Amino acid sequence: MGSFLLLVLMFAPFVTPFVVMGAAWALAVRVRRRKPGSGWRLPDAGSCALVTVMAGAAGLGAYAYGVMSGFYILDPDQMCAAAGAAGDHVVTRMTLPVSVQCVTEQGEGTELVPSWVNPVVFGGLVVCVLALGAGVSSGMRSARRPVGERSR
């Protein structure tokens, strides 16, 4: 199980752009197929599912990128030296918010995780949960309507 999670973290930053672009393309196709002049309406469950996939993939990809920033197999000091931090280093890690720091003996820290990672992780999580809730709500509304009205 641990090796599977490591593989997910290693490959998620590479796979995420393809998942997000695929879901965005599918959403664009859904928008293109809408009837002209149909006006504004609440999104259906399928569109909410695509938004959920996009947001979840973006959040997972950003999280994996942040966790794997500065990941060196041999020595933690290599990671700090590659970041350009001077002095003797101890690496500290936090899971959420994602943080990998090189800290000198004087207490000066150098953050290795880019500043955009945590907003994307938390924003993706929020949008994923909201779209999932909207999709469930839309699906329940659609199921309650009579069969003749569902196609409208």
Side-chain angles (χ1 to χ4, degrees), residues 14-132:
F14 302 111
V15 175
T16 293
F18 297 109
V19 173
V20 170
M21 292 303 293
W25 179 77
L27 271 174
V29 167
R30 291 177 72 88
V31 167
R32 182 90 172 137
R33 289 185 181 164
R34 279 185 63 189
K35 296 175 187 168
S38 61
W40 288 95
R41 62 177 185 204
L42 293 174
D44 61 341
S47 297
C48 290
L50 288 171
V51 171
T52 302
V53 167
M54 274 179 34
L60 175 66
Y63 180 78
Y65 186 83
V67 168
M68 299 304 278
S69 346
F71 181 73
Y72 288 92
I73 295 174
L74 299 175
D75 189 15
D77 291 341
Q78 287 180 342
M79 150 172 41
C80 297
D88 297 324
H89 299 91
V90 176
V91 176
T92 62
R93 293 183 178 269
M94 285 179 47
T95 305
L96 278 176
V98 182
S99 174
V100 179
Q101 287 189 349
C102 295
V103 182
T104 64
E105 291 177 357
Q106 293 79 22
E108 298 172 11
T110 303
E111 182 66 48
L112 300 179
V113 177
S115 61
W116 57 267
V117 168
N118 286 314
V120 172
V121 169
F122 290 117
L125 181 64
V126 167
V127 171
C128 183
V129 168
L130 290 175
L132 186 61

